[in-house]
Amino acid sequence: MSKDVRIVANWKMNKTIREATDFISKLPNTIAVLSIAMPFTALHACTKNKPPLLSLGAQNIYFESHGPFTGETSAEMVKDAGAEFVILGHSERRHIFSEDSGAVNKKIRQALLCGLEVILCIGETLTQRDENKTVEVLREQLFESLFELTEEQLDQISIAYEPVWAIGTGKPSTAQMAQETHFMLRSFIRDKWGQVASEKIFILHGGSIKPENIQELSSQPDIDGVLVGGASLDVGVFTQIIQNAGNIKK
Ligand code: PGA
């Protein structure tokens, strides 16, 4: 059996409280390592009767702790509602809501301060890849988002590399191309934070993950897990993904 890869669902703006709790009640209770990033509104209800090894997370926070920021939600609030982690810097936040790596850095600091684990998302667009800017873009997103964070803080952070051209398109990166980029990201971490940090950090892969490609992608040496969008919305399809990754105990 393969190792337990880290599987993280990103539900995006989907599922009411009832749909979310219903989904969780249908997960096999023999799952090993699994996380679901869900809408704020469903978090609290999902903390009840969840499988013990399932961790719940949010998809965004604001970087201030409280105050006159109408419509925003703080790290403390999502923690209070049951989140153990938060996804930050997702490409939809960067491209639709114009979030830059400076803001992502502030959000990461606030999340860590409140005891939330962080999954930092980075990825290049198709135009950037075509213009041979992938390395430059990923280096910039990684180092600016993690600006002045210590090796100790890095212990609470995972990276999710999601090429933007593979998100929601049904056209995933090839395993070889993904492995090459993950290897490069790990070497960036090693150069800045050292060998131990680079070996410890989880580097997840995302973009059109499905039952058919999970095995090949997650068995690459530098891919430690996956971030699953569309295919995490249907409990049957998602269960197939965790099964194919070997994360269901027999
Ligand atoms: P997708 O989304 O699996 O639907 O491509 C992944 C993501 O945006 O995290």
Side-chain angles (χ1 to χ4, degrees), residues 158-183:
S158 303
I159 311 293
Y161 166 58
E162 302 195 290
V164 179
W165 43 269
I167 295 180
T169 59
K171 295 185 185 135
S173 171
T174 62
Q176 189 197 342
M177 201 193 255
Q179 163 57 24
E180 280 168 13
T181 311
H182 280 241
F183 177 82

mmCIF file of all heavy atoms in Angstrom, residues 158-183:
data_model
loop_
_atom_site.group_PDB
_atom_site.id
_atom_site.type_symbol
_atom_site.label_atom_id
_atom_site.label_comp_id
_atom_site.label_asym_id
_atom_site.label_seq_id
_atom_site.Cartn_x
_atom_site.Cartn_y
_atom_site.Cartn_z
ATOM 1 N N SER A 158 2.072 24.351 4.661
ATOM 2 C CA SER A 158 2.260 23.475 3.500
ATOM 3 C C SER A 158 2.130 24.345 2.264
ATOM 4 O O SER A 158 1.489 25.395 2.295
ATOM 5 C CB SER A 158 1.174 22.401 3.430
ATOM 6 O OG SER A 158 1.152 21.647 4.607
ATOM 7 N N ILE A 159 2.730 23.900 1.178
ATOM 8 C CA ILE A 159 2.605 24.628 -0.091
ATOM 9 C C ILE A 159 1.678 23.819 -0.996
ATOM 10 O O ILE A 159 1.762 22.595 -1.017
ATOM 11 C CB ILE A 159 3.981 24.721 -0.815
ATOM 12 C CG1 ILE A 159 5.096 25.209 0.122
ATOM 13 C CG2 ILE A 159 3.896 25.565 -2.077
ATOM 14 C CD1 ILE A 159 4.966 26.615 0.576
ATOM 15 N N ALA A 160 0.805 24.505 -1.740
ATOM 16 C CA ALA A 160 0.052 23.807 -2.786
ATOM 17 C C ALA A 160 0.426 24.455 -4.114
ATOM 18 O O ALA A 160 0.144 25.645 -4.314
ATOM 19 C CB ALA A 160 -1.445 23.903 -2.543
ATOM 20 N N TYR A 161 1.082 23.694 -4.963
ATOM 21 C CA TYR A 161 1.399 24.209 -6.297
ATOM 22 C C TYR A 161 0.259 23.835 -7.236
ATOM 23 O O TYR A 161 -0.004 22.650 -7.462
ATOM 24 C CB TYR A 161 2.738 23.647 -6.804
ATOM 25 C CG TYR A 161 2.927 23.892 -8.278
ATOM 26 C CD1 TYR A 161 2.896 25.201 -8.790
ATOM 27 C CD2 TYR A 161 3.090 22.843 -9.172
ATOM 28 C CE1 TYR A 161 3.024 25.440 -10.153
ATOM 29 C CE2 TYR A 161 3.229 23.072 -10.532
ATOM 30 C CZ TYR A 161 3.193 24.377 -11.016
ATOM 31 O OH TYR A 161 3.314 24.599 -12.369
ATOM 32 N N GLU A 162 -0.401 24.866 -7.751
ATOM 33 C CA GLU A 162 -1.518 24.642 -8.661
ATOM 34 C C GLU A 162 -1.332 25.503 -9.901
ATOM 35 O O GLU A 162 -1.588 26.721 -9.853
ATOM 36 C CB GLU A 162 -2.840 25.049 -8.006
ATOM 37 C CG GLU A 162 -3.143 24.332 -6.720
ATOM 38 C CD GLU A 162 -4.610 24.503 -6.325
ATOM 39 O OE1 GLU A 162 -5.006 25.612 -5.942
ATOM 40 O OE2 GLU A 162 -5.355 23.541 -6.470
ATOM 41 N N PRO A 163 -0.871 24.910 -11.013
ATOM 42 C CA PRO A 163 -0.783 25.711 -12.233
ATOM 43 C C PRO A 163 -2.183 26.230 -12.585
ATOM 44 O O PRO A 163 -3.136 25.447 -12.625
ATOM 45 C CB PRO A 163 -0.270 24.719 -13.291
ATOM 46 C CG PRO A 163 -0.241 23.377 -12.664
ATOM 47 C CD PRO A 163 -0.536 23.501 -11.208
ATOM 48 N N VAL A 164 -2.310 27.520 -12.804
ATOM 49 C CA VAL A 164 -3.640 28.111 -12.989
ATOM 50 C C VAL A 164 -4.337 27.503 -14.215
ATOM 51 O O VAL A 164 -5.551 27.300 -14.216
ATOM 52 C CB VAL A 164 -3.528 29.657 -13.109
ATOM 53 C CG1 VAL A 164 -4.893 30.292 -13.338
ATOM 54 C CG2 VAL A 164 -2.898 30.241 -11.847
ATOM 55 N N TRP A 165 -3.540 27.155 -15.228
ATOM 56 C CA TRP A 165 -4.105 26.574 -16.456
ATOM 57 C C TRP A 165 -4.679 25.175 -16.227
ATOM 58 O O TRP A 165 -5.371 24.637 -17.084
ATOM 59 C CB TRP A 165 -3.051 26.554 -17.577
ATOM 60 C CG TRP A 165 -1.684 26.108 -17.116
ATOM 61 C CD1 TRP A 165 -0.683 26.908 -16.657
ATOM 62 C CD2 TRP A 165 -1.182 24.770 -17.046
ATOM 63 N NE1 TRP A 165 0.410 26.153 -16.309
ATOM 64 C CE2 TRP A 165 0.136 24.846 -16.546
ATOM 65 C CE3 TRP A 165 -1.709 23.510 -17.372
ATOM 66 C CZ2 TRP A 165 0.933 23.721 -16.344
ATOM 67 C CZ3 TRP A 165 -0.918 22.389 -17.175
ATOM 68 C CH2 TRP A 165 0.379 22.501 -16.670
ATOM 69 N N ALA A 166 -4.393 24.578 -15.080
ATOM 70 C CA ALA A 166 -4.918 23.231 -14.809
ATOM 71 C C ALA A 166 -6.128 23.270 -13.883
ATOM 72 O O ALA A 166 -6.801 22.262 -13.691
ATOM 73 C CB ALA A 166 -3.822 22.360 -14.193
ATOM 74 N N ILE A 167 -6.418 24.443 -13.311
ATOM 75 C CA ILE A 167 -7.521 24.534 -12.334
ATOM 76 C C ILE A 167 -8.867 24.594 -13.049
ATOM 77 O O ILE A 167 -9.116 25.497 -13.846
ATOM 78 C CB ILE A 167 -7.351 25.767 -11.415
ATOM 79 C CG1 ILE A 167 -6.088 25.603 -10.561
ATOM 80 C CG2 ILE A 167 -8.579 25.963 -10.531
ATOM 81 C CD1 ILE A 167 -5.817 26.763 -9.629
ATOM 82 N N GLY A 168 -9.688 23.605 -12.763
ATOM 83 C CA GLY A 168 -11.054 23.576 -13.294
ATOM 84 C C GLY A 168 -11.145 23.376 -14.796
ATOM 85 O O GLY A 168 -12.214 23.557 -15.387
ATOM 86 N N THR A 169 -10.049 23.012 -15.442
ATOM 87 C CA THR A 169 -10.050 22.881 -16.891
ATOM 88 C C THR A 169 -10.180 21.425 -17.345
ATOM 89 O O THR A 169 -10.397 21.156 -18.511
ATOM 90 C CB THR A 169 -8.732 23.421 -17.495
ATOM 91 O OG1 THR A 169 -7.643 22.675 -16.917
ATOM 92 C CG2 THR A 169 -8.547 24.896 -17.206
ATOM 93 N N GLY A 170 -9.993 20.499 -16.404
ATOM 94 C CA GLY A 170 -9.991 19.085 -16.780
ATOM 95 C C GLY A 170 -8.686 18.682 -17.451
ATOM 96 O O GLY A 170 -8.539 17.558 -17.928
ATOM 97 N N LYS A 171 -7.735 19.622 -17.498
ATOM 98 C CA LYS A 171 -6.446 19.323 -18.142
ATOM 99 C C LYS A 171 -5.313 19.450 -17.131
ATOM 100 O O LYS A 171 -4.684 20.503 -17.005
ATOM 101 C CB LYS A 171 -6.203 20.302 -19.293
ATOM 102 C CG LYS A 171 -7.195 20.141 -20.410
ATOM 103 C CD LYS A 171 -6.840 21.041 -21.568
ATOM 104 C CE LYS A 171 -7.923 20.963 -22.625
ATOM 105 N NZ LYS A 171 -8.313 22.264 -23.153
ATOM 106 N N PRO A 172 -5.054 18.372 -16.398
ATOM 107 C CA PRO A 172 -4.013 18.437 -15.367
ATOM 108 C C PRO A 172 -2.619 18.499 -15.972
ATOM 109 O O PRO A 172 -2.422 18.161 -17.143
ATOM 110 C CB PRO A 172 -4.202 17.117 -14.616
ATOM 111 C CG PRO A 172 -4.814 16.196 -15.621
ATOM 112 C CD PRO A 172 -5.668 17.047 -16.513
ATOM 113 N N SER A 173 -1.685 18.907 -15.154
ATOM 114 C CA SER A 173 -0.284 18.854 -15.543
ATOM 115 C C SER A 173 0.103 17.382 -15.707
ATOM 116 O O SER A 173 -0.463 16.520 -15.043
ATOM 117 C CB SER A 173 0.520 19.480 -14.398
ATOM 118 O OG SER A 173 1.883 19.290 -14.585
ATOM 119 N N THR A 174 1.068 17.095 -16.565
ATOM 120 C CA THR A 174 1.553 15.709 -16.609
ATOM 121 C C THR A 174 2.322 15.464 -15.318
ATOM 122 O O THR A 174 2.824 16.403 -14.685
ATOM 123 C CB THR A 174 2.515 15.470 -17.786
ATOM 124 O OG1 THR A 174 3.665 16.308 -17.599
ATOM 125 C CG2 THR A 174 1.863 15.775 -19.121
ATOM 126 N N ALA A 175 2.420 14.193 -14.945
ATOM 127 C CA ALA A 175 3.118 13.867 -13.697
ATOM 128 C C ALA A 175 4.580 14.319 -13.776
ATOM 129 O O ALA A 175 5.132 14.817 -12.798
ATOM 130 C CB ALA A 175 3.026 12.367 -13.447
ATOM 131 N N GLN A 176 5.163 14.170 -14.950
ATOM 132 C CA GLN A 176 6.580 14.536 -15.080
ATOM 133 C C GLN A 176 6.789 16.046 -14.924
ATOM 134 O O GLN A 176 7.681 16.500 -14.216
ATOM 135 C CB GLN A 176 7.086 14.071 -16.446
ATOM 136 C CG GLN A 176 8.583 14.218 -16.593
ATOM 137 C CD GLN A 176 9.038 14.168 -18.047
ATOM 138 O OE1 GLN A 176 8.292 13.692 -18.913
ATOM 139 N NE2 GLN A 176 10.234 14.660 -18.320
ATOM 140 N N MET A 177 5.921 16.803 -15.579
ATOM 141 C CA MET A 177 6.028 18.270 -15.483
ATOM 142 C C MET A 177 5.779 18.729 -14.046
ATOM 143 O O MET A 177 6.477 19.607 -13.522
ATOM 144 C CB MET A 177 4.988 18.896 -16.416
ATOM 145 C CG MET A 177 5.273 20.320 -16.809
ATOM 146 S SD MET A 177 3.780 21.015 -17.565
ATOM 147 C CE MET A 177 4.229 21.007 -19.260
ATOM 148 N N ALA A 178 4.804 18.109 -13.400
ATOM 149 C CA ALA A 178 4.502 18.468 -12.006
ATOM 150 C C ALA A 178 5.690 18.140 -11.110
ATOM 151 O O ALA A 178 6.109 18.962 -10.294
ATOM 152 C CB ALA A 178 3.258 17.713 -11.532
ATOM 153 N N GLN A 179 6.255 16.951 -11.284
ATOM 154 C CA GLN A 179 7.396 16.545 -10.449
ATOM 155 C C GLN A 179 8.565 17.528 -10.613
ATOM 156 O O GLN A 179 9.192 17.926 -9.636
ATOM 157 C CB GLN A 179 7.802 15.096 -10.802
ATOM 158 C CG GLN A 179 9.186 14.665 -10.335
ATOM 159 C CD GLN A 179 9.415 14.802 -8.822
ATOM 160 O OE1 GLN A 179 8.465 14.797 -8.027
ATOM 161 N NE2 GLN A 179 10.677 14.962 -8.424
ATOM 162 N N GLU A 180 8.844 17.924 -11.858
ATOM 163 C CA GLU A 180 9.964 18.852 -12.096
ATOM 164 C C GLU A 180 9.754 20.159 -11.326
ATOM 165 O O GLU A 180 10.670 20.690 -10.707
ATOM 166 C CB GLU A 180 10.089 19.168 -13.595
ATOM 167 C CG GLU A 180 10.797 18.068 -14.371
ATOM 168 C CD GLU A 180 10.650 18.241 -15.885
ATOM 169 O OE1 GLU A 180 10.229 19.324 -16.346
ATOM 170 O OE2 GLU A 180 10.953 17.270 -16.602
ATOM 171 N N THR A 181 8.520 20.660 -11.369
ATOM 172 C CA THR A 181 8.245 21.934 -10.686
ATOM 173 C C THR A 181 8.291 21.760 -9.166
ATOM 174 O O THR A 181 8.830 22.607 -8.459
ATOM 175 C CB THR A 181 6.882 22.499 -11.130
ATOM 176 O OG1 THR A 181 6.835 22.456 -12.552
ATOM 177 C CG2 THR A 181 6.687 23.924 -10.667
ATOM 178 N N HIS A 182 7.752 20.646 -8.666
ATOM 179 C CA HIS A 182 7.798 20.402 -7.214
ATOM 180 C C HIS A 182 9.245 20.272 -6.731
ATOM 181 O O HIS A 182 9.600 20.764 -5.666
ATOM 182 C CB HIS A 182 7.017 19.126 -6.865
ATOM 183 C CG HIS A 182 5.540 19.346 -6.792
ATOM 184 N ND1 HIS A 182 4.800 19.141 -5.649
ATOM 185 C CD2 HIS A 182 4.662 19.785 -7.729
ATOM 186 C CE1 HIS A 182 3.533 19.429 -5.881
ATOM 187 N NE2 HIS A 182 3.416 19.816 -7.145
ATOM 188 N N PHE A 183 10.063 19.610 -7.544
ATOM 189 C CA PHE A 183 11.485 19.457 -7.189
ATOM 190 C C PHE A 183 12.135 20.841 -7.073
ATOM 191 O O PHE A 183 12.883 21.121 -6.141
ATOM 192 C CB PHE A 183 12.182 18.611 -8.271
ATOM 193 C CG PHE A 183 13.650 18.444 -8.039
ATOM 194 C CD1 PHE A 183 14.125 17.480 -7.161
ATOM 195 C CD2 PHE A 183 14.566 19.256 -8.697
ATOM 196 C CE1 PHE A 183 15.496 17.327 -6.938
ATOM 197 C CE2 PHE A 183 15.934 19.119 -8.477
ATOM 198 C CZ PHE A 183 16.400 18.150 -7.593
#
